[in-house]
């Protein structure tokens, strides 16, 4: 009898040890896959880990974080919610879920989650800051300013907050104070591209368009791949004045004759919709460095009147950067302009292979498929677009789908 009892004790310890080893192996699997950017593989390891231990709250949180990286925002939100069912007081899950909701433009939902974040982690400066940004989006300026000030109380070196306070001051036409806040942000971090952005926008409101252009140049110097931004100042209503300032900037000869300098100057012109100068500068950059892949990308975007040149440049860019889903997407749009639906579908499918969680790609492919005999597949793509959060981003027309 003692031998039987001893056998079961040994067997129980063996099973327990084996289970523990399996969990550690799956966590190691997750880390290794993540390290090499195999996000699908990392999620598969976490799926197995969760099946093995459904109450492992960190696994849900990690899976949500990875889904957010691959832009599966709806999936990320679901995982953070599952994590909260296991541990309802874990501040990070509310914080990350709020950030995911920001991505799908669920502003009010994000604010509610930031409220929970500061409830369980009252010193989280970023939570106050991001909540303030959402209040600003809702045009609740006083609430935004209050949150920004609390964020600075919690962390005085939070340089981005100074820039955003500057933007709020500018809303009330207190431009001197606004520029001082932007200056403070730059003193704390000279690479704070947002501060240069806002400073440029503020100077545009003061009709100092040339200084605004120079500030936008500084923003690009510190973040050359910066996307076009809302605050590139007053172009629509004061285009002629802005155009004169940009022409003056383009005639300056103090640019160092390097591929990088020409590229940045071309990029600034592209952002400010001065496409001819953008193309001229990209041409010079590519003459100096024919392997400057990003130059082909932005020259393609700048060629708004020459569809064939854009297609050629996107193809050239993709010879260097085969895994850029955006380039395939933009190339597909160029094919669509030529009514080349077949090539457009093939190209956007490559974008989806690289990034299978972008709702915009599915919506566009669905729209294209509805123009062919494969309308049912088009409807499937439109449905998938909505599942991946597109419903929060796009206005869906009435499609002939069941």
């Amino acid at each position: 009898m003692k031998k039987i009892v001893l056998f079961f004790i040994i067997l129980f310890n063996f099973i327990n040890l084996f289970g523990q080893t399996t969990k550690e192996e799956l966590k190691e699997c997750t880390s290794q896959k993540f390290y090499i950017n195999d996000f699908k593989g990392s999620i598969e390891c976490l799926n197995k880990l969760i099946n093995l231990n459904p109450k492992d709250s960190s696994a849900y949180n990690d899976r949500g974080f990875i889904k957010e990286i691959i832009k599966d925002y709806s999936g990320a939100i679901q995982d953070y919610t599952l994590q909260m069912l296991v541990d309802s007081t874990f501040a990070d899950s509310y914080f990350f879920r709020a950030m995911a909701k920001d991505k799908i433009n669920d502003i009010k939902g994000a604010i509610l989650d930031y409220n929970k974040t500061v409830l369980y982690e009252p010193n989280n400066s970023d939570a106050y800051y991001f909540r303030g940004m959402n209040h600003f989006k809702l045009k609740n300026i006083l609430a935004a300013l209050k949150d920004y000030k609390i964020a600075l109380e919690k962390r005085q070196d939070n340089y981005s907050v100074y820039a955003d306070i500057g933007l709020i001051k500018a809303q009330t036409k207190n431009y001197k104070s606004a520029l001082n806040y932007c200056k403070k942000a730059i003193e704390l971090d000279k690479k704070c591209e947002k501060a240069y952005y806002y400073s440029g926008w503020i100077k545009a409101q003061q009709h100092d368009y040339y200084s605004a252009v120079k500030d936008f140049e500084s923003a690009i110097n510190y973040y050359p791949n910066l996307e076009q931004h809302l605050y590139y100042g007053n172009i629509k209503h004061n285009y002629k004045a802005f155009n004169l300032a940009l022409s003056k900037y383009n005639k300056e000869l103090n640019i160092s004759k390097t591929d990088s300098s020409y590229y940045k100057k071309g990029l600034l012109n592209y952002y400010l919709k001065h496409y001819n100068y953008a193309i001229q500068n990209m041409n010079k950059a590519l003459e100096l460095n024919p392997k400057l892949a990003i130059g082909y990308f932005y020259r393609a975007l700048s060629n708004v009147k020459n569809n064939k040149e854009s297609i050629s440049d996107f193809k050239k860019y993709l010879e260097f950067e085969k895994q850029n889903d955006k380039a395939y997407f933009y190339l597909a749009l160029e094919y669509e302009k030529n009514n080349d639906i077949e090539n457009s579908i093939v190209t956007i499918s490559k974008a989806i292979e690289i990034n299978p969680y972008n709702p915009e790609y599915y919506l566009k492919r669905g729209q294209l498929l509805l123009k062919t005999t494969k309308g049912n597949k088009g409807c499937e793509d439109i449905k998938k677009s909505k599942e991946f959060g597109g419903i929060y981003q796009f206005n869906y027309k009435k499609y002939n789908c069941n």
Side-chain angles (χ1 to χ4, degrees), residues 41-279:
S42 195
I43 287 173
E44 287 173 4
C45 294
L46 284 167
N47 290 344
K48 293 176 183 177
L49 181 59
I50 288 169
N51 287 335
L52 190 67
N53 184 9
K55 292 189 177 182
D56 187 341
S57 62
S58 63
Y60 292 108
N61 199 70
D62 292 345
R63 191 172 67 179
F65 177 72
I66 295 170
K67 286 181 179 178
E68 198 167 344
I69 290 175
I70 60 177
K71 300 181 181 179
D72 178 12
Y73 301 123
S74 296
I77 289 168
Q78 289 173 6
D79 273 336
Y80 295 138
T81 304
L82 288 170
Q83 194 280 336
M84 292 167 193
L85 294 175
V86 180
D87 182 359
S88 62
T89 63
F90 188 51
D92 280 356
S93 287
Y94 291 103
F95 182 73
F96 290 133
R97 190 172 72 173
M99 294 182 73
K101 287 180 178 179
D102 276 338
K103 301 284 178 35
I104 60 173
N105 208 31
D106 180 8
I107 298 173
K108 292 182 179 178
I111 288 174
L112 290 174
D113 276 341
Y114 287 128
N115 292 344
K116 284 284 191 179
T117 304
V118 297
L119 175 66
Y120 296 120
E121 191 180 351
N123 289 322
N124 189 327
S125 176
D126 287 334
Y128 290 107
Y129 172 47
F130 292 137
R131 188 174 70 180
M133 291 177 71
N134 279 309
H135 282 307
F136 183 81
K137 291 175 187 175
L138 295 175
K139 299 182 179 179
N140 192 343
I141 304 300
L142 291 178
L145 187 58
K146 181 180 178 181
D147 272 339
Y148 291 155
K149 288 182 176 179
I150 296 173
L152 287 179
E153 287 173 8
K154 303 298 179 183
R155 207 179 86 212
Q156 293 182 353
D157 65 341
N158 201 338
Y159 54 87
S160 290
V161 184
Y162 287 99
D164 280 283
I165 292 178
L167 184 61
I168 285 182
K169 294 291 183 181
Q171 300 294 312
T172 59
K173 301 187 184 302
N174 189 349
Y175 296 131
K176 183 177 180 180
S177 177
L179 288 172
N180 284 335
Y181 273 103
C182 289
K183 184 179 178 182
K184 178 67 176 179
I186 293 167
E187 286 174 0
L188 289 168
D189 183 357
K190 73 173 184 177
K191 296 182 180 180
C192 181
E193 70 281 350
K194 180 185 284 192
Y196 293 107
Y197 265 141
Y198 295 164
S199 179
W201 179 78
I202 293 162
K203 289 174 182 176
Q205 310 313 305
Q206 296 176 301
H207 308 296
D208 186 0
Y209 297 103
Y210 181 73
S211 294
V213 168
K214 299 301 285 186
D215 276 339
F216 298 150
E217 179 187 33
S218 296
I220 289 172
N221 280 336
Y222 295 117
Y223 191 12
N225 295 325
L226 207 57
E227 294 291 339
Q228 189 172 1
H229 195 278
L230 176 63
Y231 301 106
Y232 261 133
N234 236 2
I235 300 172
K236 185 175 181 181
H237 298 104
N238 293 284
Y239 183 77
K240 288 184 180 179
F242 226 118
N243 205 32
L244 287 171
L246 191 58
S247 295
K248 179 182 176 182
Y249 164 81
N250 282 319
K251 290 174 183 176
E252 289 180 353
L253 300 176
N254 60 351
I255 182 173
S256 60
K257 300 184 184 304
T258 63
D259 59 324
S260 175
S261 296
Y262 282 120
Y263 163 70
K264 289 175 183 176
K265 196 166 186 175
L267 187 59
L268 177 60
N269 276 279
Y270 163 72
Y271 282 148
L272 294 174
K273 305 183 187 301
H274 210 308
Y275 297 121
N276 288 336
Y277 272 110
I279 292 169

Side-chain angles (χ1 to χ4, degrees), residues 2-17:
K2 288 182 180 179
K3 288 183 179 180
I4 294 173
V5 172
L6 182 61
F7 171 76
F8 277 108
I9 290 172
I10 293 170
L11 180 61
F12 175 79
N13 287 334
F14 175 77
I15 292 171
N16 190 48
L17 178 63

